[in-house]
């Protein structure tokens, strides 16, 4: 397993499909995952420090895990089958729960849990951005700093 960090979310044009972009902590591969608008909003809210008046689903799950004293230890993106990513939540003392990567990432951001990815998944779906494209990544980061969660509402 390789540890990843969340670069951010954006809307892919012309399909208007949100993606979350992850990057290897100790490496140069990026992992783009297409996600739903609700999950994109949840990730963007957390990255931007937006606190809704009432808890979102991911906030609720964070609070339930805390109340049960079953902390989220890590998120693992485990497989890619037929263009669908699969992930597991590692909870408490070895409990493993299957979950969508988008939900897993939104929860991991809320509790500060590490996000890991199987090497096989990174080998298959990871991309290396050449140095001349690093400017594009910087533009993407600037975009992320200015985008509002409402921009992802369908």
């Amino acid at each position: 397993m390789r540890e990843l960090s969340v670069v951010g979310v954006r809307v892919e044009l012309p399909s208007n499909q949100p993606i979350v972009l992850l990057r290897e902590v100790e490496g140069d591969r990026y992992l783009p995952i297409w996600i739903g608008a609700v999950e994109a909003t949840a990730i963007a809210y957390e990255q931007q420090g937006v606190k809704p008046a009432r808890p979102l689903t991911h906030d609720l799950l964070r609070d339930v895990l805390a109340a049960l004293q079953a902390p989220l230890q890590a998120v693992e993106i485990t497989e890619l089958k037929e263009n669908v990513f699969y992930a597991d939540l590692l909870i408490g003392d070895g409990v493993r729960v299957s979950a969508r990567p988008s939900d897993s990432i939104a929860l991991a951001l809320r509790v500060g849990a590490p996000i890991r990815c199987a090497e096989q998944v990174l080998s298959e779906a990871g991309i290396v951005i050449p140095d001349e494209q690093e400017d594009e990544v910087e533009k993407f980061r600037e975009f992320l700093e200015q985008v509002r969660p409402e921009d992802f509402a369908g």
Side-chain angles (χ1 to χ4, degrees), residues 37-52:
V38 172
E39 294 78 15
T41 300
I43 291 168
Y45 270 5
E46 190 60 29
Q47 284 197 303
Q48 294 177 5
V50 174
K51 300 298 179 205

Side-chain angles (χ1 to χ4, degrees), residues 45-75:
Y45 270 5
E46 190 60 29
Q47 284 197 303
Q48 294 177 5
V50 174
K51 300 298 179 205
R54 299 292 301 146
L56 299 176
T57 304
H58 304 96
D59 301 315
L60 174 63
L61 185 51
R62 174 201 59 211
D63 295 346
V64 168
L65 290 174
L68 295 173
Q69 297 180 359
L72 178 65
Q73 302 294 341
V75 163

Side-chain angles (χ1 to χ4, degrees), residues 17-136:
Q17 179 70 37
I19 65 168
V20 61
L21 186 63
L22 306 168
R23 182 178 182 170
E24 278 184 293
V25 170
E26 295 189 17
D28 56 358
R29 290 178 290 185
Y30 290 82
L31 183 65
I33 301 177
W34 280 256
I35 62 175
V38 172
E39 294 78 15
T41 300
I43 291 168
Y45 270 5
E46 190 60 29
Q47 284 197 303
Q48 294 177 5
V50 174
K51 300 298 179 205
R54 299 292 301 146
L56 299 176
T57 304
H58 304 96
D59 301 315
L60 174 63
L61 185 51
R62 174 201 59 211
D63 295 346
V64 168
L65 290 174
L68 295 173
Q69 297 180 359
L72 178 65
Q73 302 294 341
V75 163
E76 293 183 349
I77 301 169
T78 57
E79 288 184 277
L80 174 61
K81 291 192 285 192
E82 299 178 17
N83 295 321
V84 176
F85 289 89
Y86 294 82
D88 287 339
L89 302 174
L90 278 59
I91 301 170
D93 295 326
V95 175
R96 189 176 280 269
V97 177
S98 180
R100 296 182 304 182
S102 55
D103 290 323
S104 302
I105 292 165
L107 183 59
L109 287 173
R110 282 163 171 73
V111 302
I115 301 167
R116 301 184 192 121
C117 185
E119 178 60 39
Q120 181 177 348
V121 173
L122 274 171
S123 294
E124 188 174 340
I127 56 173
V128 175
I129 299 177
D131 290 340
E132 61 268 11
Q133 291 183 2
E134 284 295 327
D135 288 343
E136 290 298 315

